[in-house]
């Protein structure tokens, strides 16, 4: 059972998944909020029923799955709609993340939470012992989104603008990794942080 939990966050396309993979390669359990988010809106779930009641049946695909593309367009066009979705999904996601981390067998576990800042930070996640932020310039985020998702520049701008600013995320950080595209630098930083977190987890509190 892991009693020391790190929150990993960063802006969209900052490189959270890459960082998660590198920590997992070192034997660390990483609970992914994106995975939890899919689970809480799976067909037959209470979350999907509540989303359908709010957004209407047009938000579903023919097979009953959530139409993520349609939902994304809706929530990035309206802050009110985005907040409505978050009010439905975030409590269930938090519960799943904490349970996964606490059940991990290593000295510490990690919760990858893209919207940690937007979801209330430490106030909503008081069980996080430390916060690690992956930081990247906005211009790099924009370029990665265009390449990764094949979306328009306008939608990329809206997706970035809908999230917290770099300054707001960094204000939460205990540790920062700058994902500047240099794999060697990234791996060295991950190994350094892994040693630190193992030491902190072993220190009586």
């Amino acid at each position: 059972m892991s009693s020391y939990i790190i929150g990993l966050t960063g802006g969209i396309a900052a490189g959270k998944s890459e960082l998660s993979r590198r920590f997992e390669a070192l034997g660390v359990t990483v609970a992914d909020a994106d995975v939890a988010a899919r689970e809480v809106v799976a067909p037959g779930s209470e979350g999907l029923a509540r989303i359908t009641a709010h957004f209407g049946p047009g938000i579903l695909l023919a097979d009953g799955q959530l139409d993520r593309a349609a939902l994304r367009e809706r929530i990035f066009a309206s802050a009110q709609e985005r907040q409505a979705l978050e009010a439905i999904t975030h409590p269930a996601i938090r519960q799943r993340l904490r349970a996964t981390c606490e059940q991990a067998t290593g000295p510490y576990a990690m919760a990858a939470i893209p919207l940690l800042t937007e979801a209330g930070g430490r106030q909503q996640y008081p069980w996080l012992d430390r916060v690690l932020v992956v930081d990247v310039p906005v211009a790099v985020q924009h370029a990665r989104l265009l390449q990764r998702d094949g979306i328009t520049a306008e939608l990329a701008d809206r997706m970035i603008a809908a999230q917290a600013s770099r300054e707001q995320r960094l204000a939460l950080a205990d540790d920062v990794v700058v994902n500047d595209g240099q794999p060697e630098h990234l791996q060295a930083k991950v190994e350094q942080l892994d040693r630190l977190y193992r030491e902190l987890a072993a220190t009586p509190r």
Side-chain angles (χ1 to χ4, degrees), residues 24-145:
E24 286 175 327
L26 296 175
V28 179
T29 294
V30 180
D32 190 333
D34 288 338
V35 173
R38 287 193 291 272
E39 293 172 348
V40 302
V41 298
S45 66
E46 179 186 353
L48 185 59
R50 292 180 62 192
I51 289 171
T52 306
H54 178 84
F55 291 95
I59 210 70
L60 298 176
L61 295 168
D63 63 358
Q65 297 270 354
L66 181 64
D67 187 339
R68 296 180 181 279
L71 183 61
R72 182 170 65 178
E73 287 286 347
R74 291 275 295 274
I75 65 174
F76 284 114
S78 166
Q80 186 176 0
E81 293 284 57
R82 187 172 69 254
Q83 290 163 4
L85 176 66
E86 291 169 355
I88 294 170
T89 59
H90 282 190
I93 292 169
R94 287 196 295 268
Q95 184 178 16
R96 282 176 179 263
L97 289 175
R98 184 173 188 176
T100 299
C101 287
E102 291 181 344
Q103 291 165 11
T105 56
Y108 75 94
M110 185 169 284
I113 312 169
L115 298 178
L116 175 59
T117 309
E118 296 84 346
R122 294 175 189 271
Q123 183 176 0
Q124 291 296 325
Y125 289 85
W127 41 270
L128 294 178
D129 294 288
R130 204 168 177 91
V131 174
L132 168 59
V133 171
V134 188
D135 187 43
V136 66
V138 172
V140 175
Q141 284 180 277
H142 191 276
R144 287 177 179 171
L145 276 173

Side-chain angles (χ1 to χ4, degrees), residues 131-200:
V131 174
L132 168 59
V133 171
V134 188
D135 187 43
V136 66
V138 172
V140 175
Q141 284 180 277
H142 191 276
R144 287 177 179 171
L145 276 173
L146 295 182
Q147 182 178 19
R148 185 189 75 183
D149 294 354
I151 58 177
T152 65
E154 180 188 3
L155 180 55
D157 286 336
R158 279 194 280 136
M159 292 171 72
I160 294 170
Q163 294 193 330
S165 67
R166 289 177 72 190
E167 291 74 20
Q168 288 171 316
R169 279 190 296 271
L170 291 171
L172 282 181
D174 295 294
D175 307 294
V176 178
V177 171
V178 178
N179 185 14
D180 55 5
Q182 299 179 24
E184 300 81 7
H185 162 75
L186 201 61
Q187 184 61 29
K189 186 66 175 178
V190 166
E191 292 174 0
Q192 175 190 357
L193 288 170
D194 178 65
R195 289 192 295 270
L196 171 64
Y197 297 155
R198 290 176 187 274
E199 291 171 7
L200 291 172

